[in-house]
Amino acid sequence: MKKKWKLLIFISLPFSLLVFLESGFRFIEYCWPPVYQLLFDDGKQYLYVLGESTSLGVPYLAKISPAQMLSYQFNDSLQGKPIQTITLAMEGHNIEYNYFKFYFELLMRPHKNGLVFMYSGINENINNTPDVDFDNWKWMQHSIVLSKMRYIHNTGENGPGRYEFRYHQIVQLAKRRGF
């Protein structure tokens, strides 16, 4: 009888931890933005830069990166508010990395005025072979914890479906924030 209880506890512990973490992320996602905006709103228009080395201006100077050129185009202000650039792009990273970086940035610093500039596709390693694991992968994307665990465990497999799915997630995340 004791062995059954120990086994039940051993099996239910990871599930309980998963539910606890997932509910914590959801709580922060919905309750923190109004508090943050009340305390830290500085009236700026934020430009979130997602992508790869090209978004950073590599191999050229950062002053002529596509995002900086966009800021210059609008004379460093939009709708009468100064533009603050938040660069989340990194050399050699794919769209999945950019999604998590953007998600956690908006989770911790949820500004209410923002634009998203994304230049990606070069580092995706997209192959055109059938993605037999896509349905399982897509199911795991409903949970931020399982999705992040799958990303850490990812062996570099990528396909057009996964790229398109992440791209739409970035767009939906920006829409939920009112960008």
Side-chain angles (χ1 to χ4, degrees), residues 95-96 118 120 124 126 134 137-138 158-172:
I95 197 168
E96 193 159 8
M118 182 168 57
S120 70
E124 294 303 321
I126 294 177
F134 180 70
W137 179 87
K138 191 173 178 181
N158 207 359
R162 292 181 192 211
Y163 180 83
E164 183 179 348
F165 186 83
R166 280 288 183 226
Y167 182 83
H168 285 292
Q169 276 192 311
I170 290 171
V171 170
Q172 291 301 318

Side-chain angles (χ1 to χ4, degrees), residues 20 48 53 82 110 113 119 131 141 144 151 159 161 164 167 174 176:
F20 175 75
Y48 295 92
S53 56
N113 299 315
Y119 192 81
D131 191 353
Q141 304 313 305
I144 191 66
Y151 169 69
E164 183 179 348
Y167 182 83
R176 279 199 318 262

